Amino acid sequence: MKVPVSWLKEYVDFDASPEELAKKLTFSGTEVESIQTIGGDFKGVVVGEVRSIEKHPGADNLLVCKVNSGREEVSVVCGAHNFNVGDKAPLALVGAELPNGMKIEERKVRGVISMGMLCAEDELGLSDDHSGIMLVSRNIPAGTPFSEVAGPPETVLSVEITWNRPDCLSIIGMAREVAALFRTSIKLPSVDFMERGEPVEMLADVDLQDVEGCPRYTARVLTDIKLKPSPSWMQKRLTLCGVRPINNVVDITNYVLLECGQPLHAFDYELLTDHKIIVRRGHTGEKMTTLDGIERQGLEKSVLITDPARAVALAGVMGGAGSEINDNTRNVLLESAFFHPPDIRRTSSKLGLSTESSYRFERGVDIGGVEWASRRATALMVEHADAVAAQGVIDVYPNKRPEKKIKCRFQSVKNLLGVDVADEEIVNIIKSLEFSITGCKKDHCVVGVPTFRPDIEIEADLIEEVARIHGLDKVPTIVPQARVVVDADDSVTRATIACRSNLIGLGLMEIMNYSFLSEQLLNAISSADIDSRVVLPNPVSSDYAVMRNSLIPQMVDTLGRNLAHQVDSVSLFEIGKVFLKDNNNKISEENHLCIGLMGKSGRAGLNKCKPVEREEIFLWLKGVIEALAVSQHVGNLVFKPLNCSRMDADGAVSIEMNGHVCGVMGLVKQEIRKKWRMIEPVAVAEMNMVALIQWIFTPFELHSIPVYPSVSRDVAMVVDENVRHDDILKIIKKAAPQELTGIELFDIFRSEHIGACKKSMAYSLVYRSLERTLTDEDANRYHEIIKEALRKELKAEIREGK
Amino acid sequence: MTAEEIIKLKENALKECQAAGTMNELEAVRVRYIGRNGYLPQVMKGLKDVDPSERSEYGRIANEFKNQVSAALDYKKTELAERGTAEAKSVFDYSLPGVWRSLGTKHPISSIIEETVRIFGKLGFTVAEGPDVETAYHNFEALNTPAHHPSLDQTDTFWFETGELLRTQTSPVQIRVMESRKPPIRIITPGRCYRRDTTDATHSANFHQIEGLYVEKNVSLADLKGTLAYFAKEMMGTGVDIRFRPHFFPFTEPSVECDFTCHVCGGKGCRVCKNSGWIEIAGAGMVDPRVFKKVGYDPEEITGYAFGMGIERIAMIKYSINDIRLLYENDARFLSQFI
């Protein structure tokens, strides 16, 4: 909201610079966002009289004007068209410097000399208006310095009003704050006027049918109005606050809105059927056209101001077309009312229509000040629109509430703030905010809450008032005392942090994707999951339309986008939630880990030219998972072949940890990779975090270091290509004595010499006894048994001679 | 050959070995003493001519000759080899790139969360977490947010057809914790939140918050100030101070906004802090008694404070990141710097 300081000073005396005032306001809860100076000395700007207007010979949309500057006639090229010969406007002469920094020089515009500039309001820093040049009264003599027309410069504060303080959405409300900060009081303007007309009840009628939506409605009637421009001081204040002056009646309603925060509406009295106002809810299917010419639908449940024939205003939001002030208006019905904030909010957001009026009503105006605002506007109309005010006011206020009273205990204030505020200071602060003290005891006072402070409901609200006026800088900084909450458990967080560290230790880079993604991306990976998708009914855009049910789609996309950035080797992981929907539409969440490898990420050293093999990248990923499982204390990790729509048929496995299936890993199908132009294989894995974190704090058993030395024997065998490492392990383990303590595959070798579809696999076996030192003979004996088993079960040719 | 002769021979061999200056000289020594046609075969041959009573003594001396001379030759050989390497032009290239897998990197959002958890952990706070898909009750109503508050607006919140929503703040976790246990409470709640903001340089529809809640007997605004002041120094640096400005949140009373001294200029004013010397970091306040009543706590018995901060905002300020989208684009060229 804009607060011109000169206007503020009309209601409250204070001695402070705008900067000091801004600081005080900011640190008492009304944040001043900017301090703006509007206007200035306007050196070199005078009132110019347009003497002639001709088209520019070289440009269709430019004009060449002769302008009387008071001293001489100058030729000026102008782009605006909103004026006629005889009009007067601010003329910046050669040498002038405008508030926006523009320097006026003699220059040629498309071949025509221009000796100055006719100014728009924005060029003079008076408003944002650039719709045309600013016109001033024709009565002002040409050559008058513009500073005399514009008046002294004005300081305007831009303040941010928090949602709970609708009272501050007005100059008087701000004045109350200032008065409290400077411990002074405010002066309200006069609302006295002569009621010369007929009794208002004879002229109009109000039928308040919806007391819930409209707890208070007042109406006055003003007759014999003369529409004309409002006084220049009023126009200036409106302009400073960003409101465009229109005519005296409309300007006065806007002025009072800005002054005290009460939105008013002026109807053309003659356009109200039977001169009757009915306040009711909209009927199903009811429509009306608002002032902006838009037909509004869906008004059922909205509070409407109607006459017996039609709706005449969308209560608290906008007036209706056909009953508004127009050039022929002579008599006015002035509405001042209080509408139920949630109703206004609902109507405003449903229609996507926010106005100065709805903005205030939805936050809550001063129900006690409704009639004052009506009087204030009437007084101004009597004075500035020659209006004849009818006698009295129609004021329908059926459920007037008694004043709200709250007990404020002095000790509670001190305890909650941790500041020792003196009892008298508490009372003084409360009083300075125009609260009434209706009783004051030794340890507490009883506070009466004025109607303009709907936000004050309980003692804590009063404590906040004391805190902000007393000053939060006076709250001491107490060194925190670490006290343990004994049974609090954050093992999940600690385990997750450990898991993240371990992944980073394994060389992976952490990524973070949004929790929602596009349907397109999901479908690019798989459509098999369509039933479990949680779709957002109101997404920001179609890119974020579905909650993720797997981390893999975004992982693949991330790899692909990095590849597009010429980053061809990365190893990534993400820890994040996925969202799943069951048959009953119940949404559940799981924490997942996703790992994605691309390029030569698993290769260290100089061995980087060779293309990455499918099996190679798969095994890198498997290695990461194995290492991670060990570091997370997962005892038993098993991979089993799996069919997965997103992965290669031979390159997909399920991951089992300690007997529970907890994830999948594999190679992304080529047809999916193709969409991101990924030529080389890409490996991804996704698993549930529960499996990875649940055993990390399980105590483990410590094994003693072996006492006796081990004996190692190698075995190399030629087997068919389709024999798996797993098959060999099984045979060895089955045949082995208990002294076999280690099996390591150390070479796979293929050559013509061995034969097609054959491979040589070499294992190193370690034998050790817990009771004695094994002899060579022992080891040879064990080894022979195993070799024999391999020969028999695999038809393996054991390669001797090593 | 007698035992004495062998000993003499050995001493000569060792001397010559020591004196050898080149590999060739050393090789000559080897050939002369222990080569196939050198002294050693003669020594060994002599064994059978020795009187049986002296044979074992002779054997020991002969073995000693063989072993000591061999050892001396080996030693000298290594020595000469090393000297040679040192003198010759070395081909060893220490400047080749090291060969070991490098560490990965932590996402800056995780870094800030972990750091915050660590700092508050020192003050006795433990982590609590809750669902992202929340009930309107936990996200709004229980937090004293009026039914017509702007944040309940359809345009700000992601609603599901079930009537549930994506939490707009991590505050519902506070409610869940208070519903499930009695004071004292000392929790910190990192997590994802969602608002229907159109994404731009400073807004993201998906963001992270971390909130703290402390409920005990006699907790005051001064305790809150001390706690946030400690956090500010730990997170941003020892020179960083805090200040409070009054503000409004529906679930705290009084409510404050907390500014940190700009860590870039130290409060003098710079581009980062828009010349104010301060940066707005947290919203905070004393828990509104109406919130306590909702969870069945007696506000006459206990008081508490709560605070909340945007993780992305802290990360952006701490690491001078000028566009929030960088945090979610997952460009390896950006993330790899957070080592």
Side-chain angles (χ1 to χ4, degrees), chain A residues 292-319:
Chain A
D292 50 11
I294 297 172
E295 189 183 75
R296 308 285 175 176
Q297 301 182 334
L299 302 178
E300 57 272 10
K301 289 191 189 159
S302 289
V303 182
L304 298 182
I305 311 300
T306 68
D307 66 17
R310 56 175 179 168
V312 292
L314 206 50
V317 182
M318 191 179 266

Side-chain angles (χ1 to χ4, degrees), chain A residues 26-31 160 162-164 341-342 345 349 362-363 409 414-419 455 457-461 463-464 467-468 472-485 487-490 492-493 496-497 500-501 503-516 534-540 544 547-548 558 561-562 565-567 570-577 579 585-587 589 591 601-606, chain B residues 96-107 109-111 113-114 117 122-134 146 148-151 153-154 156-162 164 166-167 181 184-186 192 194-199 203-206 208 214 216 218-223 225-227 229-230 243-248 252-257 259 280 286 288-290 300 303-304 325 327-333 335-336:
Chain A
T26 296
F27 285 91
S28 62
T30 312
E31 192 180 341
E160 189 200 325
T162 51
W163 202 82
N164 60 327
R345 169 116 208 124
S349 69
E362 69 190 16
R363 285 163 172 75
R409 294 163 297 179
K414 294 168 203 183
N415 287 350
L416 195 68
L417 301 183
V419 187
D455 59 312
E457 290 176 330
I458 58 173
E459 187 182 47
D461 298 325
I463 297 175
E464 177 171 61
R468 67 185 189 86
L472 289 176
D473 54 334
K474 299 196 181 74
V475 175
T477 306
I478 294 183
V479 177
Q481 309 277 311
R483 294 230 332 252
V484 171
V485 177
D487 52 347
D489 175 22
D490 58 358
V492 169
T493 306
T496 307
I497 290 175
R500 183 180 292 117
S501 300
L503 285 158
I504 292 165
L506 288 165
L508 274 65
M509 173 185 288
E510 186 180 21
I511 61 166
M512 247 180 227
N513 277 298
Y514 273 10
S515 296
F516 19 66
V534 179
V535 178
L536 278 174
N538 58 341
V540 186
Y544 309 123
M547 300 303 291
R548 55 181 178 182
T558 303
R561 280 185 293 111
N562 275 290
H565 292 143
Q566 300 171 301
V567 180
V570 277
S571 28
L572 308 177
F573 77 97
E574 174 168 16
I575 297 172
K577 277 184 180 174
F579 301 82
N585 284 336
K586 204 173 150 11
I587 303 169
E589 301 172 19
N591 234 336
S601 49
R603 255 184 227 157
L606 300 176
Chain B
L96 285 174
V99 181
W100 200 260
R101 280 203 61 94
S102 57
L103 285 179
T105 52
K106 197 181 286 179
H107 195 281
I109 290 174
S110 291
S111 293
I113 291 176
E114 289 188 5
V117 168
K122 294 212 284 186
L123 303 181
F125 287 77
T126 43
V127 173
E129 291 181 291
D132 290 20
V133 178
E134 260 297 356
H148 55 282
H149 192 271
S151 61
D153 197 313
Q154 186 72 11
D156 292 333
T157 307
F158 291 106
W159 291 92
F160 291 108
E161 270 137 12
T162 56
E164 290 166 300
L166 286 174
R167 63 180 175 191
R181 53 170 300 155
I185 305 275
R186 210 158 183 151
R192 269 190 190 203
Y194 309 84
R195 282 180 202 169
R196 289 190 76 251
D197 283 324
T198 305
T199 302
H203 293 86
S204 174
N206 172 144
H208 291 75
Y214 181 32
E216 260 260 41
N218 299 321
V219 183
S220 76
L221 196 63
D223 294 311
K225 203 172 183 180
T227 302
Y230 176 77
R243 70 174 186 190
F244 278 177
R245 278 180 291 110
H247 200 68
F248 168 69
T252 48
E253 198 75 49
S255 301
V256 301
E257 273 188 330
D259 300 334
E280 184 190 321
M286 303 305 294
D288 194 303
R290 285 161 284 211
E300 290 294 311
T303 49
R325 286 168 290 202
L327 293 169
Y328 290 99
E329 272 165 8
N330 298 313
D331 189 321
R333 298 167 298 177
L335 293 176
S336 61

Side-chain angles (χ1 to χ4, degrees), chain B residues 6-22:
Chain B
I6 299 171
I7 290 168
K8 185 88 180 150
L9 204 56
K10 182 182 83 181
E11 278 163 7
N12 288 343
L14 293 178
K15 253 183 233 156
E16 282 176 38
C17 188
Q18 184 60 37
T22 66

Side-chain angles (χ1 to χ4, degrees), chain A residues 494-665:
Chain A
R494 284 184 292 129
T496 307
I497 290 175
C499 183
R500 183 180 292 117
S501 300
N502 289 330
L503 285 158
I504 292 165
L506 288 165
L508 274 65
M509 173 185 288
E510 186 180 21
I511 61 166
M512 247 180 227
N513 277 298
Y514 273 10
S515 296
F516 19 66
L517 71 173
S518 70
E519 212 173 339
Q520 205 187 353
L521 176 55
L522 277 170
N523 292 341
I525 305 293
S526 169
S527 301
D529 58 324
I530 216 150
D531 290 338
S532 73
R533 291 181 190 172
V534 179
V535 178
L536 278 174
N538 58 341
V540 186
S541 80
S542 60
D543 287 342
Y544 309 123
V546 186
M547 300 303 291
R548 55 181 178 182
N549 55 9
S550 159
L551 304 184
I552 288 178
Q554 288 162 319
M555 175 59 79
V556 173
D557 185 48
T558 303
L559 292 170
R561 280 185 293 111
N562 275 290
L563 183 64
H565 292 143
Q566 300 171 301
V567 180
D568 53 8
S569 288
V570 277
S571 28
L572 308 177
F573 77 97
E574 174 168 16
I575 297 172
K577 277 184 180 174
V578 299
F579 301 82
L580 306 161
K581 193 177 72 179
D582 69 12
N583 296 336
N584 303 320
N585 284 336
K586 204 173 150 11
I587 303 169
S588 61
E589 301 172 19
E590 286 176 8
N591 234 336
H592 280 197
L593 163 67
C594 184
I595 303 177
L597 302 186
M598 173 174 78
K600 281 108 184 157
S601 49
R603 255 184 227 157
L606 300 176
N607 185 19
K608 300 230 162 132
C609 299
K610 212 173 74 176
V612 174
E613 301 288 337
R614 294 171 66 245
E615 196 177 85
E616 190 180 17
I617 197 165
F618 179 93
L619 294 178
W620 289 338
L621 181 53
K622 189 176 171 191
V624 168
I625 293 168
E626 285 168 343
L628 181 67
V630 170
S631 64
Q632 299 295 115
H633 295 181
V634 176
N636 188 19
L637 175 68
V638 179
F639 299 92
K640 286 184 183 158
L642 174 83
N643 270 329
C644 176
S645 60
R646 300 172 290 200
M647 296 174 187
D648 284 349
D650 59 342
V653 293
S654 67
I655 305 169
E656 279 183 23
M657 291 187 181
N658 289 354
H660 304 280
V661 176
C662 67
V664 296
M665 72 163 273

